[in-house]
Structures are given as structure tokens and as C-alpha cells.
């Protein structure tokens, strides 16, 4: 079922495990208060699963996706699932419920969390997926150990950049935006969000 943004906000305030990009305040800021919604499975008064999404219309098409500057969105579950058949069956049910709750659309495109491997209900309804890879360093408390595991060429790049770059932690938003835009221009790329959107 689709739930109101107000109800979802209450769940976000109660459920600490809802990721930052799925939080109501993040979606308000990046999508706009009226441009996002949430499919949910509620059991009693407990939120069991949710799928927030951004609705974008272009010409004659409706897209269900994620807003700019949002790394990932996709489904959230109130517990972890194992590989046993009961858990898989329950997760399949929840994914089907979320998928069937989505409004009519032409394109669905979201980046899911790396911990969600099961997308079978989407596959069964002719969706496709692309796997992308990234590196995730869980513990950065011993930075020297992390550095030791880098390849030699990466260590060289880091050492060179220490001589060429300055790191500032207190840039104002205008300086950051201008710098980002200038760096992209050097790569012959355009920034994909406006100054007003970023602010």
C-alpha cells in the first residue's frame, strides 16, 4: 500500500535502521515535498518493509527513480533475512507487495543497497537489473593498515596528490559548487544539478 508522507515520517523517527537516503527529510530536500511517495507493508502498527521513490514525469513518460544526489534508495526491511527457505519466501512476499503498490509507471530505476541480493519478484515481472561494484571500507580507525593494502600505483597517486592538493573542511556552499563545476568542466562534463538545487 502507499502510505502518507506524514505516517512515513513517524516511522522514520522510530526506526533507526532506515538509511539516510530513505529518510523523509532527505527526500523532502532532494525530491521536493510533493514529488516522492512510499510503498509500504505494515503488519499491525509495525512497518515491515518500505520502498520510497521519486516520481518524475518527462513528456509522456512517468519514471519511478531516485532524486539527484541520492546514492541509493530501494527497499528497506525491518530485519535481516537469511538464506533459509522461509526467510526467502517472506522477503519475496514483501517485495511483491511493495512492487504491486507502486503507481503506474513507464520506467523504474533505483540503485539498491549492496546488502539486498534478492530481486526475484521484480525479475518475475520482467524487470532487469545491472550489478555495479564499489569498495566499502568498514573500519577506518587504523588508517595505516588500510593504506598498506593499497596497490603501489594508488599509494603513488596519493603521495603525489599530497603535494598538489590542499584539503579544506570549511568551504562555503558557493565555493564548493563553483569548484565542483570547474573540475567537471576540465573533464568536459557538465554538472547535473543547479546551484539552487544544491543550496
Amino acid at each position: 500500500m502507499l502510505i502518507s508522507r506524514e505516517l512515513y515520517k513517524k516511522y522514520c523517527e522510530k526506526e533507526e535502521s532506515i538509511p539516510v537516503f530513505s529518510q523523509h527529510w532527505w527526500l523532502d530536500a532532494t525530491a521536493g515535498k510533493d514529488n516522492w511517495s512510499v510503498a509500504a507493508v505494515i503488519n499491525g502498527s509495525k512497518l515491515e518493509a518500505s520502498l520510497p521513490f521519486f516520481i518524475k514525469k518527462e513528456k509522456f513518460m512517468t519514471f519511478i527513480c531516485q532524486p539527484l544526489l541520492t546514492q541509493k534508495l530501494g527497499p528497506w526491511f525491518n530485519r535481516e533475512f537469511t538464506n533459509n527457505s522461509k526467510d526467502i519466501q517472506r522477503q519475496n512476499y514483501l517485495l511483491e507487495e511493495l512492487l504491486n503498490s507502486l503507481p503506474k509507471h513507464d520506467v523504474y530505476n533505483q540503485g539498491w543497497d549492496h546488502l539486498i541480493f534478492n530481486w526475484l519478484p521484480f525479475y518475475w515481472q520482467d524487470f532487469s537489473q545491472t550489478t555495479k561494484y564499489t569498495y566499502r571500507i568498514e573500519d577506518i580507525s587504523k588508517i595505516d593498515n588500510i593504506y598498506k593494502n593499497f596497490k603501489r600505483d594508488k599509494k603513488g597517486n596519493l603521495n603525489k596528490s599530497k603535494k598538489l592538493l590542499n584539503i579544506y573542511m570549511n568551504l562555503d556552499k558557493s565555493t564548493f559548487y563553483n569548484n565542483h563545476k570547474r573540475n567537471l568542466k576540465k573533464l568536459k562534463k557538465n554538472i547535473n544539478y543547479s546551484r539552487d538545487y544544491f543550496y
Side-chain angles (χ1 to χ4, degrees), residues 67-167:
L68 288 172
L69 306 179
T70 302
Q71 185 186 56
K72 57 189 171 188
L73 214 46
W76 168 86
F77 305 101
N78 71 355
R79 68 182 185 92
E80 289 184 26
F81 290 94
T82 64
N83 284 331
N84 76 45
S85 61
K86 276 189 177 178
D87 265 8
I88 292 169
Q89 190 176 15
R90 184 65 187 167
Q91 192 178 41
N92 284 343
Y93 165 78
L94 293 172
L95 285 167
E96 280 183 70
E97 289 293 305
L98 293 172
L99 179 55
N100 293 333
S101 297
L102 295 176
K104 191 174 181 333
H105 58 278
D106 301 295
V107 176
Y108 172 89
N109 185 3
Q110 286 188 325
W112 289 12
D113 190 276
H114 70 284
L115 295 173
I116 300 175
F117 299 104
N118 181 9
W119 66 284
L120 270 175
F122 283 73
Y123 174 76
W124 293 331
Q125 292 195 34
D126 292 327
F127 286 75
S128 61
Q129 70 91 24
T130 301
T131 301
K132 295 184 179 181
Y133 294 93
T134 188
Y135 292 96
R136 185 178 172 105
I137 302 170
E138 298 288 344
D139 181 8
I140 60 170
S141 62
K142 295 183 176 128
I143 203 78
D144 291 338
N145 288 343
I146 295 166
Y147 181 76
K148 284 177 192 171
N149 289 310
F150 282 3
K151 286 185 172 181
R152 193 172 61 169
D153 64 325
K154 299 299 177 217
K155 288 180 189 176
N157 290 345
L158 283 170
N159 289 331
K160 262 193 254 176
S161 59
K162 283 180 187 175
K163 296 172 190 166
L164 298 171
L165 300 174
N166 294 317
I167 297 173

Side-chain angles (χ1 to χ4, degrees), residues 14-87:
K14 282 195 284 189
E15 282 290 346
E16 291 180 15
S17 65
I18 294 176
V20 65
F21 298 115
S22 296
Q23 289 287 332
H24 65 95
W25 55 266
W26 178 269
L27 293 163
D28 278 349
T30 57
K33 292 186 183 208
D34 298 325
N35 299 324
W36 64 275
S37 194
V38 182
V41 179
I42 298 172
N43 193 349
S45 63
K46 189 173 184 180
L47 181 64
E48 200 169 346
S50 64
L51 178 60
F53 55 91
F54 172 51
I55 303 163
K56 184 169 74 170
K57 295 185 184 268
E58 284 184 14
K59 297 184 182 174
F60 303 108
M61 298 186 60
T62 301
F63 294 80
I64 288 182
C65 51
Q66 56 200 44
L68 288 172
L69 306 179
T70 302
Q71 185 186 56
K72 57 189 171 188
L73 214 46
W76 168 86
F77 305 101
N78 71 355
R79 68 182 185 92
E80 289 184 26
F81 290 94
T82 64
N83 284 331
N84 76 45
S85 61
K86 276 189 177 178
D87 265 8

